[in-house]
Amino acid sequence: GAMESVTLFSKYPWEELNGRPIALSKESLSSASLLKIMLKVRWGYDNLFKEDRRDVEDMLKDADAALVIGDQALHQSRNSAPFRFDMSDEWYKWQQLPFCFALWAVNRPFADAEPRTVHRMALALEEQVSRNLENLEVLLDASCTLPSAEGKSRAELLVYFRSLNYRLDPQTLQGLARFYELARQVKMI
């Protein structure tokens, strides 16, 4: 479903994006790949893409849509563009599977050579996630600047962080496998 942290801001609806230039945040290869796959496979479109580090308003001066992630997407005004597409929600509507935007991974040779180290690392990550979720309000107060009036409130950010899936469950693995299958289909991997 909708996460709002990976968002395509657009001057046009999906149906009118074919061939139009799209600015991509440089912060997420998986998000950019997801957008390219959706445009190519779901819609049958060919678009021009350009990486861009500017804010949404500046990106939209040179492009008809802009993909942004993280704080920039979360705190961006809904008035930044006529159309706003949450990429997690768009993927779910299309595939009926969650999208995995990030994960921790270890390459097979290291895992085979150092199984105890990998196990200890996995346990440490699990413990840290649990600790962070238990202290989410304190962490939010300590690490986040409060958004502008047009951005997310502290309460909305708490809901956002609590709604994230921090585990690689079977359904998310299935979504990840489907993403890789589509990436192979369009020769991204």
Side-chain angles (χ1 to χ4, degrees):
M3 296 308 305
E4 297 187 14
S5 57
V6 180
T7 304
L8 181 70
F9 292 88
S10 178
K11 297 175 186 175
Y12 302 95
W14 283 115
E15 297 80 11
E16 297 177 26
L17 280 176
N18 191 22
R20 297 192 181 274
I22 298 176
L24 303 173
S25 167
K26 290 185 173 187
E27 280 109 23
S28 175
L29 183 58
S30 62
S31 301
S33 298
L34 171 60
L35 176 61
K36 290 175 181 179
I37 288 169
M38 289 187 74
L39 289 166
K40 187 72 166 170
V41 179
R42 182 180 187 189
W43 296 98
Y45 292 170
D46 286 308
N47 292 83
L48 306 170
F49 300 97
K50 177 186 172 194
E51 288 187 349
D52 198 327
R53 291 188 187 271
R54 299 176 295 166
D55 64 25
V56 171
E57 287 82 4
D58 288 336
M59 292 167 98
L60 289 174
K61 288 177 184 173
D62 300 323
D64 290 326
L67 179 70
V68 296
I69 69 160
D71 288 348
Q72 188 177 5
L74 284 170
H75 300 303
Q76 191 63 45
S77 167
R78 292 196 179 273
N79 300 326
S80 298
F83 299 92
R84 179 180 174 138
F85 304 106
D86 180 289
M87 295 305 296
S88 178
D89 192 45
E90 294 296 324
W91 168 264
Y92 191 84
K93 286 190 281 190
W94 181 36
Q95 295 295 322
Q96 297 298 298
L97 293 165
F99 190 79
C100 180
F101 285 101
L103 59 90
W104 284 87
V106 176
N107 69 33
R108 175 79 54 202
F110 183 82
D112 291 342
E114 297 288 339
R116 279 194 255 159
T117 301
V118 171
H119 182 71
R120 282 195 310 271
M121 184 178 75
L123 289 176
L125 284 170
E126 281 289 327
E127 289 172 12
Q128 191 63 50
V129 166
S130 295
R131 219 175 6 258
N132 287 349
L133 290 172
E134 288 170 12
N135 298 301
L136 194 53
E137 292 187 35
V138 173
L139 286 171
L140 185 62
D141 290 341
S143 64
C144 294
T145 59
L146 292 176
S148 68
E150 294 180 322
K152 297 281 181 235
S153 69
R154 182 180 181 280
E156 288 171 313
L157 289 172
L158 283 170
V159 168
Y160 166 75
F161 284 113
R162 287 184 176 134
S163 69
L164 292 176
N165 179 3
Y166 295 93
R167 308 294 188 273
L168 198 55
D169 58 35
Q171 197 173 19
T172 304
L173 276 171
Q174 189 179 354
L176 188 60
R178 180 67 180 140
F179 173 71
Y180 286 139
E181 177 185 318
L182 292 167
R184 278 190 294 279
Q185 181 180 322
V186 296
K187 303 195 181 347
M188 284 184 170
I189 54 173

